[in-house]
Amino acid sequence: MEKQLDVEDLFIDFLSSFVDRRGVRKYSERINKMIGYRHKSLEVDFNDLLSFNEELANKIVVDAKNIIPLIERKLMDYIVERDPDYQLEVNRVHVRITSVPRIIQLRKIRSDDINKLISVEGILVRSTSIKERITKIWLQHVPPGCGDEFEWPGEGEEIQESVEMPAVCPRCGKPGQFKWIKEKSEIVDWQKVVVQEKPEEIPAGQLPRQLEAILEDDLVDSARPGDRIKMVGILEIKEDVPIKRGMRSVFDFHMKVNSVEISQKVLDEVMISKEDEEKIKELARDPWIKEKIISSISPSIYGHYEIKEAIALALFGGVPKVMPDGTRIRGDIHLLIIGDPGTAKSQTLQFAARVAPRSVY
């Protein structure tokens, strides 16, 4: 228990005393912004932790599941000491660790990485709608029980995958029925996403690997399908539906995400310089521009001119039309490529996926 207390105090010491190369108390400024704007998360660069105290940084990586909740509660206490009104609007804070140096490829994740803080890169291919997860519930011991209301689970604990009702009432110590009081319960935004390997990392002839990840609170909707992202999080075993007798022996991985960095923004955020604009206009005046674009699709693959033309058209897209009766026709172009094995279908599509700013292979 003493070690845990040391970690908490050491982390607060790091936040209050760390000075960057410019001589600025970086995290003191960030905490002031959190208080001022009522933000929920504090971003902490792992390299800063490493330079401050190597043992603290290593503990966070190896025992992230236990230590991160501890330092988050300590950070909340630290902020409330400085501004007691903060807890009236924000009921919990998060420590978001970024720039973790150990980046693991999705196909190289192994059992040794379970419960550790790891970093993965990939393309976000799917995301669910935002749902709500219960973190704390209030229960009432229904009469003929004592009728008291109490918080469940107890102090310092949080509901994970499922809610386990108490065997006995913690107030009177007797068993009975318990009623859920919805309006008093604590909930958090929840979203499941699927991350897939980047096309350039997929070995020839292999299918891309995927990893399910859970985003919570202010991380939900922080990235959209098609974005190239870097996620830092805790690798966990995914709980399956229990069988009637005993338990399963084979499980899948999933990641509980701690921080998300978008490494490639969407097309509408790309800035075109004046020089780029002039170059585009110059290319547009070229009478052979169509043929040049088509021949630029997978230039190492000979022939297949019609297929390359179809892929080029799909990359550019068509023109949406609105009919006189108000019906809107989308400008998207879809194509289906059918061919014998070894005729470069996958290679051509992988090239298109690398060229398109937003793509899912």
Side-chain angles (χ1 to χ4, degrees):
M1 191 67 186
E2 264 186 30
K3 277 191 175 180
Q4 291 178 348
L5 290 173
D6 286 345
V7 167
E8 294 171 79
D9 294 336
L10 198 56
F11 182 73
I12 295 300
D13 187 31
F14 159 73
L15 295 180
S16 57
S17 64
F18 181 81
V19 178
D20 64 11
R21 290 177 182 176
R22 296 171 299 159
V24 175
R25 291 187 185 275
K26 180 173 170 178
Y27 296 104
S28 291
E29 285 191 358
R30 288 186 183 180
I31 289 171
N32 289 337
K33 279 187 181 177
M34 278 182 75
I35 294 169
Y37 293 104
R38 295 302 192 246
H39 290 166
K40 293 181 176 182
S41 294
L42 175 69
E43 275 194 13
V44 175
D45 192 313
F46 185 80
N47 295 314
D48 294 343
L49 274 172
L50 205 58
S51 64
F52 177 79
N53 188 298
E54 195 173 330
E55 189 183 354
L56 173 64
N58 290 335
K59 275 185 181 180
I60 288 174
V61 168
V62 173
D63 195 19
K65 198 168 183 179
N66 294 319
I67 288 178
I68 289 178
L70 285 173
I71 61 177
E72 286 178 344
R73 284 197 291 272
K74 189 71 176 179
L75 173 61
M76 185 69 179
D77 295 341
Y78 179 68
I79 291 172
V80 169
E81 277 179 23
R82 297 176 62 175
D83 182 6
D85 293 338
Y86 181 83
Q87 62 187 334
L88 300 176
E89 295 179 51
V90 181
N91 59 0
R92 62 188 299 170
V93 294
H94 305 283
V95 175
R96 306 290 185 201
I97 312 290
T98 61
S99 304
V100 173
R102 191 175 172 224
I103 300 173
I104 302 174
Q105 289 185 11
L106 293 186
R107 63 179 56 242
K108 292 185 178 176
I109 292 174
R110 297 293 182 265
S111 58
D112 291 343
D113 303 312
I114 293 172
N115 293 332
K116 291 180 183 174
L117 195 72
I118 64 168
S119 180
V120 297
E121 290 182 331
I123 299 173
L124 189 69
V125 291
R126 271 200 315 278
S127 63
T128 65
S129 57
I130 296 171
K131 299 179 183 180
E132 302 306 316
R133 183 176 78 83
I134 299 171
T135 57
K136 289 270 188 184
I137 62 173
W138 276 80
L139 298 173
Q140 182 185 28
H141 193 187
V142 179
C146 63
D148 280 358
E149 297 177 1
F150 58 91
E151 191 179 21
W152 184 260
E155 188 66 33
E157 296 180 53
E158 190 175 294
I159 295 165
Q160 296 303 323
E161 297 293 327
S162 57
V163 182
E164 288 186 17
M165 290 293 181
V168 295
C169 174
R171 296 289 171 85
C172 65
K174 295 177 182 177
Q177 288 189 323
F178 300 97
K179 179 186 171 186
W180 174 30
I181 306 166
K182 293 181 185 177
E183 55 274 11
K184 280 191 172 184
S185 300
E186 290 180 21
I187 58 172
V188 66
D189 295 327
W190 181 97
Q191 186 179 37
K192 183 189 286 184
V193 299
V194 177
V195 178
Q196 183 174 284
E197 280 182 298
K198 294 184 283 187
E200 60 268 23
E201 291 180 352
I202 303 168
Q206 297 284 320
L207 290 171
R209 298 277 175 89
Q210 295 183 337
L211 176 68
E212 276 188 3
I214 304 299
L215 306 178
E216 287 190 349
D217 213 355
D218 53 349
L219 287 183
V220 299
D221 273 352
S222 56
R224 294 183 286 173
D227 285 340
R228 288 177 175 243
I229 62 172
K230 179 182 176 183
M231 296 190 312
V232 174
I234 302 166
L235 192 70
E236 296 181 346
I237 288 176
K238 185 179 169 186
E239 285 191 19
D240 268 331
V241 179
I243 53 179
K244 286 184 180 178
R245 287 188 178 182
M247 59 177 286
R248 298 180 190 276
S249 61
V250 179
F251 298 90
D252 290 325
F253 293 127
H254 76 172
M255 176 185 270
K256 191 168 181 185
V257 180
N258 176 269
S259 69
V260 176
E261 296 174 64
I262 302 175
S263 53
Q264 182 172 320
K265 292 287 185 180
V266 296
L267 183 61
D268 55 13
E269 293 175 2
V270 174
M271 299 297 291
I272 297 174
S273 67
K274 195 71 178 171
E275 292 78 14
D276 292 336
E277 191 179 332
E278 287 171 6
K279 186 69 176 172
I280 290 165
K281 287 178 178 176
E282 183 188 331
L283 288 168
R285 291 190 290 269
D286 186 343
W288 292 93
I289 186 61
K290 179 187 168 187
E291 286 73 18
K292 285 181 178 178
I293 289 170
I294 294 166
S295 61
S296 298
I297 303 288
S298 298
S300 59
I301 295 166
Y302 177 77
H304 301 307
Y305 185 86
E306 296 85 358
I307 293 170
K308 290 181 180 182
E309 182 179 8
I311 289 171
L313 291 170
L315 284 170
F316 276 84
V319 180
K321 297 180 180 69
V322 179
M323 308 305 285
D325 63 351
T327 306
R328 186 177 182 278
I329 299 171
R330 292 181 299 169
D332 303 331
I333 293 172
H334 302 269
L335 60 134
L336 172 66
I337 300 175
I338 301 172
D340 293 329
T343 51
K345 298 186 298 297
S346 299
Q347 291 298 319
T348 312
L349 288 175
Q350 279 186 19
F351 176 86
R354 285 194 293 270
V355 167
R358 283 181 69 84
S359 63
V360 174
Y361 178 70

